[in-house]
């Protein structure tokens, strides 16, 4: 399994920082404010980010822990590489956006620059991305429009401690916890849109649940704050 050292990558590659900053500038000019991973790593030590990412002893990858610490709604990945065609070079790139809650791809663009000589790599990358970034942003806007209509899609997993004998089969006022949770999810998801993929006495997993974008006060909902309502009821 590959293990990525993001702090080391930024230290040893000037191009990586320049590329992410340039993509951030392009997106900001088009109304999308990005959180830069390098700035996030510089703002706190990687160790602090990993320690503070989760309150639970759950095995996660380094990427997952950084994502949990930064808390983005959408994650953007940029890959690029150079190929030589005689004395000239071409830069190829892939730009992809993923929903941070579900890891589903929501936008993508790929392309290449024209063959060029003596042009800095980052200039070639910027020129190549500019050809496609507006179409990429249109895909993002389609995603936002869908969220306004159907709600934000998240995945939800309920786990119980192995030492709890009855688990989710425990009855509260004559209703098993599994049934209580199912009714709560159907009632509180937008138009009842939720799909339970699996359930047992120890675990329940919804691979798709559509939650409102805003609460009654007009404040943007985060998945944690939305689920806190259920947590308070279960207490």
């Amino acid at each position: 399994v590959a293990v990525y050292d993001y702090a080391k990558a930024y230290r040893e590659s000037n191009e990586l920082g320049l590329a992410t900053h340039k993509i951030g500038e392009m997106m900001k000019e088009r109304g999308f404010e990005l959180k830069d991973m390098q700035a996030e790593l510089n703002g706190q030590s990687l160790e602090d980010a990993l320690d503070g990412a989760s309150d639970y002893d759950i095995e996660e990858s380094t990427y997952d822990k950084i994502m949990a610490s930064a808390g983005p709604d959408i994650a953007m990945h940029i890959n690029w590489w150079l190929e030589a065609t005689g004395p000239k070079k071409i830069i190829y790139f892939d730009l992809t956006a993923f929903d941070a809650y579900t890891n589903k791809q929501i936008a993508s663009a790929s392309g290449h620059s024209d063959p060029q000589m003596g042009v800095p790599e980052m200039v070639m990358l910027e020129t190549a991305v500019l050809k496609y970034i507006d179409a990429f942003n249109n895909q993002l806007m389609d995603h936002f429009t869908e969220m306004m209509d159907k709600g934000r899609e998240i995945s939800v997993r309920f786990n119980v401690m192995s030492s709890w004998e009855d688990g989710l089969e425990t009855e509260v006022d004559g209703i098993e916890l599994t049934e209580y949770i199912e009714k709560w999810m159907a009632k509180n998801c937008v138009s009842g849109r939720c799909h339970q993929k699996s359930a047992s006495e120890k675990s329940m997993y919804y691979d798709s649940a559509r939650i409102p974008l805003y609460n009654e006060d007009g404040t943007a909902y985060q998945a944690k704050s939305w689920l806190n309502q259920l947590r308070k009821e279960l207490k």
Side-chain angles (χ1 to χ4, degrees):
V1 177
V3 177
Y4 300 102
D5 189 335
Y6 298 99
K8 181 180 179 181
Y10 277 107
R11 286 197 306 269
E12 297 184 355
S13 172
N14 293 328
E15 289 80 8
L16 180 58
L18 288 172
T20 54
H21 294 161
K22 179 54 66 175
I23 295 294
E25 290 176 10
M26 293 182 192
M27 297 298 289
K28 186 174 182 178
E29 290 171 357
R30 290 158 177 80
F32 295 92
E33 197 77 34
L34 302 189
K35 180 177 285 189
D36 185 83
M37 180 179 275
Q38 185 177 22
E40 186 72 18
L41 290 171
N42 290 339
Q44 59 180 342
S45 73
L46 179 59
E47 199 62 39
D48 288 342
L50 302 189
D51 288 344
S54 177
D55 296 328
Y56 303 96
D57 185 19
I58 298 175
E59 187 174 349
E60 296 177 292
S61 69
T62 303
Y63 175 79
D64 289 336
K65 292 177 180 179
I66 292 175
M67 288 289 287
S69 175
D73 294 318
I74 293 173
M76 289 179 57
H77 299 180
I78 176 74
N79 297 309
W80 74 92
W81 61 97
L82 282 170
E83 290 188 6
T85 56
K88 297 182 179 180
K89 292 183 178 180
I90 300 176
I91 197 163
Y92 295 84
F93 78 91
D94 287 314
L95 180 64
T96 311
F98 296 90
D99 187 296
Y101 287 110
T102 62
N103 287 326
K104 289 184 178 180
Q105 180 178 306
I106 58 176
S108 65
S110 60
H112 58 82
S113 66
D114 296 327
Q116 298 181 68
M117 290 176 50
V119 179
E121 182 177 333
M122 288 299 99
V123 174
M124 293 176 66
L125 179 61
E126 179 182 4
T127 302
V129 171
L130 276 172
K131 296 179 184 178
Y132 302 91
I133 197 165
D134 288 327
F136 177 83
N137 286 343
N138 287 338
Q139 295 177 58
L140 289 179
M141 289 305 303
D142 289 342
H143 176 68
F144 294 139
T145 300
E146 180 183 357
M147 286 197 300
M148 291 297 295
D149 178 42
K150 298 181 179 179
R152 177 188 297 280
E153 187 178 21
I154 66 171
S155 57
V156 183
R157 185 182 298 277
F158 300 93
N159 292 319
V160 300
M161 297 180 67
S162 58
S163 58
W164 189 15
E165 184 176 345
D166 294 330
L168 293 173
E169 294 179 345
T170 299
E171 288 192 1
V172 180
D173 295 330
I175 302 175
E176 285 191 1
L177 282 176
T178 50
E179 184 180 353
Y180 188 94
I181 292 172
E182 287 168 357
K183 289 182 177 180
W184 190 93
M185 292 289 290
K187 178 181 176 182
N188 289 274
C189 288
V190 175
S191 300
R193 292 187 175 101
C194 58
H195 179 260
Q196 185 185 110
K197 187 174 182 179
S198 62
S200 69
E201 70 276 10
K202 297 298 183 183
S203 175
M204 291 178 67
Y205 176 52
Y206 287 83
D207 59 346
S208 176
R210 293 280 185 169
I211 70 173
L213 290 183
Y214 304 99
N215 62 21
E216 295 177 354
D217 299 328
T219 306
Y221 257 135
Q222 295 293 319
K224 183 178 180 180
S225 61
W226 181 76
L227 280 166
N228 269 340
Q229 300 172 98
L230 175 59
R231 180 183 61 82
K232 291 176 181 177
E233 290 188 25
L234 291 177
K235 287 180 68 177

